[in-house]
Amino acid sequence: GQQVKQSSPSLTVQEGGISILNCDYENDMFDYFAWYKKYPDNSPTLLISVRSNVDKREDGRLTVFLNKSGKHFSLHITASQPEDTAVYLCAAGDGGNNKLTFGQGTVLSVIP
Amino acid sequence: GPKVLQIPSHQIIDMGQMVTLNCDPVSNHLYFYWYKQILGQQMEFLVNFYNGKVMEKSKLFKDQFSVERPDGSYFTLKIQPTALEDSAVYFCASSLAGTDTQYFGPGTRLLVL
């Protein structure tokens, strides 16, 4: 079964709004949680990551929230811009990141 | 940021033939990975590689698959022989340490006919 799930295949947000991307996981052993951004025919690029010893991390317009008891983590993008339009992949790893388990991705569209 | 290159970007091959996918990892990185993404599905871990050896492989890493990095050159994934179900995008990644950020290449799109 899918160990990491992104239940929303797509999300549309107005420019300036907040984009909230969600990811659920099953494996209690996951201790590393990451969000990657991907343009078509391009490399997935790490946006932000957290270890399981924190429940929130901010970096500019990006914030990742980790809810370990709910086995859920999310990415919030404030002041969303058209250039944020891309596929967002969540990923989780255990015992280091030697093996990442990815979600299926959410296509974010930010419309002017 | 650091770049991982993959050659070729696209490859079409007849079933039963051999194919080698090449990855040029970030220059000082020591850990190397392959992931497979079938159309419409998520990226899935295939294998990781360190110090000349496979550390871990998934059930997707069939006997027909092999990896190597001879003399610090390309990190390669070889499939011999190929099967129709090997059609996918293959992403290479590298990291400095096993717990560090994985940097991904743009993928090689493999089509097996």
Side-chain angles (χ1 to χ4, degrees), chain B residues 4-54:
Chain B
V4 174
L5 304 177
Q6 290 188 241
I7 303 144
S9 59
H10 296 76
Q11 178 87 53
I12 300 174
I13 198 161
D14 289 326
M15 183 177 63
Q17 287 194 300
M18 182 195 78
V19 69
T20 300
L21 308 183
N22 298 291
C23 173
D24 188 8
V26 179
S27 61
N28 61 337
H29 283 187
L30 301 174
Y31 290 77
F32 312 105
Y33 313 81
W34 284 103
Y35 290 80
K36 176 183 180 181
Q37 184 175 27
I38 293 171
L39 187 64
Q41 299 184 20
Q42 68 265 51
M43 285 169 61
E44 292 191 87
F45 170 81
L46 277 179
V47 65
N48 53 24
F49 189 85
Y50 168 73
N51 198 25
K53 292 192 276 284
V54 168

Side-chain angles (χ1 to χ4, degrees), chain A residues 35-56:
Chain A
W35 286 95
Y36 281 79
K37 180 179 183 181
K38 188 180 182 309
Y39 294 115
D41 294 335
N42 221 318
S43 312
T45 304
L46 180 70
L47 285 176
I48 190 168
S49 63
V50 291
R51 298 269 171 201
S52 57
N53 57 343
V54 299
D55 54 16
K56 177 182 171 182

Side-chain angles (χ1 to χ4, degrees), chain A residues 38-100:
Chain A
K38 188 180 182 309
Y39 294 115
D41 294 335
N42 221 318
S43 312
T45 304
L46 180 70
L47 285 176
I48 190 168
S49 63
V50 291
R51 298 269 171 201
S52 57
N53 57 343
V54 299
D55 54 16
K56 177 182 171 182
R57 185 178 169 207
E58 271 185 74
D59 183 1
R61 294 190 295 118
L62 308 176
T63 304
V64 60
F65 294 92
L66 174 62
N67 175 354
K68 287 185 293 252
S69 60
K71 294 186 189 173
H72 176 87
F73 60 110
S74 60
L75 175 67
H76 292 214
I77 307 174
T78 57
S80 299
Q81 300 161 7
E83 46 267 39
D84 295 329
T85 296
V87 175
Y88 288 78
L89 304 169
C90 66
D94 67 83
N97 336 337
N98 307 47
K99 179 177 75 174
L100 292 177

